[in-house]
Amino acid sequence: MPFKYFGKINFTPYTKVDKFSDYLQKGKLMGTKCKICGELYFPPRADCLKCMSDTFQWIEFSGRGKLHSFTKIYAAPKGFEDIAPYTLGVVDLEEGGRLISWIGDIPENDLKINMKVKVVPRMFEEIPEIKLYYTIEKQ
Amino acid sequence: MKVGIIGIGHGKFGNRSDATVQELAFEPFKEAIENANNLRREDIDALIVGSVPEYHMQRSLPGVVAEYVGMNPKSTWLTEAACASGSAAIRTAYMSIKSGMHDIVAVIGVQKMRELSTEEILALMGRVGDVQWESIFGTTFPGYYALYAKRHMYEFGTTKEQMALVAVKNHFYGAMNPYAFFQKEVTKERVLGSDDVASPVNVFDCCANADGAACVILTNEKLAKKFNDTPIWFEGLGSASAQMSLLRRPNLVEIPSAIEAAKQAYSQAKVKPSDISVADVHDCFTIAEIMAYENLGFCDKGKGGKFIEEKQSYIGGQTPVNVDGGLKAKGHPVGATGVSMTTEIVKQLRGEAGKRQVSGAEIGLTHNVGGIGQYTFVNILKR
Ligand SMILES: [Zn+2]
């Protein structure tokens, strides 16, 4: 599925790491690994930050990690008003790297920095144009 | 050869639906020329505009500003570094003079943010982070600083009350600044009781979008005395960048570009944080000022909350900070902010700050952060 379906509103339909959305649709959270120096990346990168190599391979991430920080957004930007308020979390992934996403089914009072969480691939199945995303859930 | 400031001007910040962007630019430019002794507009070699172009209906801003203020056919261009565009313009002016390319350079920081609809501004602001991996989840500018605030609270025990005290201080001084958007004091209770924006950030933890302009005129050591008895000199200029994406930042409790820019500025000026008499820092959110205390070395890492609680950033405290009201009370016309900070430090060092004067101020500092720390400029000025 094209990368343009990743996210509620996608601003970057064209990218060298567009396979990310294909994997996400199959339920896999993928990062990249530099073929030369072995550095792991999430978010994925086509070009290695460390050694500047432009060769990479896809590596599946477990999705497990720890909640680094979170915030409940009340004032939403254009295109997100319909889901406000929503809670965003930043997760430090077990394999390295970080992501930001919506908190899924974790009750607000249970949210704690450093708690163990799991990132779960999802789809907006109710919308005709299927959109891909992931949420942060309890581990 | 040293580079100094010989003239400053500052327009009224706020809701300026009475003026176009070039009309806003004209106000401080005229004032800055008059502020220098016997300076004629013809003496100025170049005009650098600091602004974020996306906010204006008018495209290619330096063109319309240069024409309106009467600088044609002199050289003019734009510098952009998000909310630090004004300081980026000042750095460019310094380099132009230092290189010998130009002798006298005017910098106008100008922004008209209220020309766009709220929806358009929100959409723009929503794309302030990495649009590929972050904005797709509806991140916002206050949301990013909220993530910083939450983590800062977790690691150091910083509180919402301490954040509120930053707003209380900045509004206390803003009430004495005729150029400020909000010239009213606020109580801690009012700040804590204001609407949620992105927890733990409330409306009163945020600066307001505003229209406004400020201007400084720079020249070299040879010419400075001719135009001003008390030129204010640039002693250290630091500039650094940090990851666009928060996901690639080393941590969420400090702004790495600020730490690096401060290091450069202190080392170039050969001064220590404790030598700073007065500072204007980038308080786009109250947590940002708390981190600025730490990143600039006014206090130890993690002690920023305590620093405001002990009133160390008030006049009479260890290092008075934002005694012009900061972005919080002045409003934040993004391109104008860095230039506005610089005019305040010049006033303080000349001893012209009136009721807000830090007595005997000798060394001043500006700290201007672009975006969520993607760019930081730290300048140290001396009498
Ligand atoms: Zn590599």
Side-chain angles (χ1 to χ4, degrees):
Chain A
M1 184 170 290
F3 196 79
K4 69 174 180 185
Y5 294 116
F6 176 51
K8 188 167 190 295
I9 297 176
N10 187 289
F11 302 100
T12 55
Y14 309 109
T15 167
K16 291 179 181 176
V17 293
D18 60 0
K19 291 271 182 302
F20 177 82
S21 49
D22 288 331
Y23 286 118
L24 198 65
Q25 193 191 0
K26 291 176 190 135
K28 291 181 173 183
L29 186 72
M30 302 295 274
T32 55
K33 183 182 181 179
C34 172
K35 277 191 174 170
I36 303 300
C37 75
E39 188 75 5
L40 283 175
Y41 291 104
F42 199 99
R45 274 186 70 106
D47 306 295
C48 183
L49 193 56
K50 231 174 147 181
C51 75
M52 293 184 76
S53 151
D54 55 3
T55 56
F56 68 91
Q57 64 190 90
W58 289 99
I59 293 282
E60 187 170 357
F61 276 54
S62 65
R64 285 190 300 271
K66 281 182 177 174
L67 190 61
H68 190 93
S69 191
F70 59 96
T71 176
K72 190 170 181 181
I73 305 283
Y74 294 86
K78 192 178 181 182
F80 294 88
E81 308 93 329
D82 56 327
I83 57 164
Y86 48 90
T87 304
L88 293 171
V90 173
V91 177
D92 288 325
L93 297 167
E94 209 170 79
E95 295 86 353
R98 252 190 222 145
L99 59 72
I100 191 165
S101 183
W102 296 306
I103 302 284
D105 283 331
I106 312 173
E108 207 172 333
N109 291 332
D110 291 358
L111 284 175
K112 275 184 190 70
I113 285 182
N114 253 348
M115 74 187 284
K116 285 184 176 176
V117 290
K118 186 165 168 58
V119 179
V120 179
R122 296 197 182 272
M123 285 189 253
F124 279 132
E125 283 140 341
E126 67 277 16
I127 307 178
E129 265 192 10
I130 302 171
K131 307 252 186 193
L132 298 163
Y133 66 110
Y134 36 70
T135 58
I136 301 166
E137 307 292 346
K138 254 186 190 156
Q139 214 184 89
Chain B
M1 175 156 351
K2 288 200 289 188
V3 173
I5 295 172
I6 52 169
I8 56 169
H10 202 299
K12 171 83 176 75
F13 280 10
N15 191 352
R16 294 295 310 269
S17 44
D18 61 307
T20 64
V21 62
Q22 60 268 35
E23 288 166 356
L24 287 182
F26 186 87
E27 299 169 5
F29 179 71
K30 175 184 160 75
E31 195 182 305
I33 291 174
E34 289 166 0
N35 185 255
N37 296 330
N38 311 311
L39 180 72
R40 296 165 308 155
R41 180 169 58 185
E42 308 82 277
D43 298 327
I44 302 170
D45 303 311
L47 168 67
I48 308 176
V49 177
S51 193
V52 177
E54 291 88 345
Y55 289 105
H56 303 119
M57 294 311 292
Q58 176 68 58
R59 289 198 58 210
S60 204
L61 205 55
V64 73
V65 172
E67 180 202 307
Y68 194 78
V69 305
M71 280 295 290
N72 296 144
K74 300 290 179 64
S75 177
T76 188
W77 66 91
L78 177 81
T79 60
E80 195 268 350
C83 320
S85 297
S87 290
I90 289 174
R91 188 175 173 87
T92 315
Y94 177 91
M95 293 189 286
S96 304
I97 294 166
K98 197 80 176 169
S99 70
M101 179 78 83
H102 297 302
D103 287 330
I104 303 177
V105 179
V107 174
I108 301 179
V110 62
Q111 203 77 54
K112 202 162 151 54
M113 302 183 75
R114 295 176 163 246
E115 216 163 57
L116 293 178
S117 71
T118 310
E119 292 83 16
E120 285 170 310
I121 292 245
L122 278 171
L124 272 178
M125 291 270 186
R127 302 203 305 273
V128 80
D130 178 293
V131 300
Q132 189 174 7
W133 303 101
E134 300 177 7
S135 311
I136 55 169
F137 294 106
T139 54
T140 65
F141 199 45
Y144 281 117
Y145 274 95
L147 291 167
Y148 264 94
K150 200 87 175 182
R151 186 73 195 185
H152 205 275
M153 290 171 155
Y154 171 78
E155 289 193 25
F156 307 118
T158 307
T159 64
K160 270 189 81 139
E161 282 75 15
Q162 291 170 334
M163 283 162 52
L165 290 175
V166 171
V168 171
K169 170 181 69 72
N170 292 354
H171 279 281
F172 171 74
Y173 290 115
M176 301 178 220
N177 183 350
Y179 299 116
F181 194 167
F182 307 108
Q183 297 169 32
K184 259 188 196 154
E185 293 187 34
V186 298
T187 61
K188 188 174 87 176
E189 292 67 33
R190 176 100 195 272
V191 180
L192 290 170
S194 63
D195 287 349
D196 292 308
V197 173
S199 63
V201 171
N202 293 18
V203 171
F204 274 58
D205 287 301
C206 310
C207 66
N209 299 332
D211 307 327
C215 177
V216 290
I217 299 172
L218 282 67
T219 190
N220 59 42
E221 203 172 359
K222 219 189 301 174
L223 293 173
K225 285 278 179 188
K226 186 175 152 197
F227 298 111
N228 202 305
D229 303 328
T230 320
I232 301 301
W233 306 105
F234 285 93
E235 296 289 335
L237 297 94
S239 168
S241 65
Q243 293 83 349
M244 187 73 181
S245 171
L246 254 65
L247 305 177
R248 303 207 195 274
R249 295 272 172 93
N251 62 56
L252 297 187
V253 291
E254 62 193 14
I255 305 289
S257 57
I259 295 174
E260 173 59 27
K263 202 172 98 188
Q264 294 169 13
Y266 286 131
S267 123
Q268 195 186 342
K270 297 184 179 67
V271 300
K272 303 182 298 294
S274 58
D275 296 326
I276 303 300
S277 326
V278 57
D280 247 48
V281 310
H282 201 90
D283 60 323
C284 49
F285 298 93
T286 51
I287 186 65
E289 180 162 324
I290 288 176
M291 289 194 290
Y293 301 152
E294 300 171 9
N295 299 166
L296 293 168
F298 297 160
C299 65
D300 289 339
K301 188 173 167 178
K303 299 280 195 278
K306 228 181 180 76
F307 196 76
I308 178 67
E309 207 172 81
E310 292 172 351
K311 296 198 164 193
Q312 298 292 1
S313 47
Y314 274 79
I315 293 176
Q318 182 205 292
T319 314
V321 173
N322 288 341
V323 298
D324 58 351
L327 280 58
K328 187 69 200 70
K330 283 190 298 182
H332 181 29
V334 290
T337 286
V339 183
S340 166
M341 289 175 169
T342 309
T343 64
E344 171 65 13
I345 294 303
V346 168
K347 274 184 216 162
Q348 289 284 348
L349 298 180
R350 284 179 182 171
E352 293 174 354
K355 277 189 285 185
R356 299 179 289 101
Q357 181 65 43
V358 174
S359 69
E362 289 284 336
I363 304 175
L365 178 147
T366 61
H367 158 275
N368 190 193
V369 178
I372 318 129
Q374 283 89 350
Y375 327 94
T376 304
F377 295 84
V378 173
N379 291 339
I380 294 173
L381 297 125
K382 241 180 193 170
R383 238 190 109 95

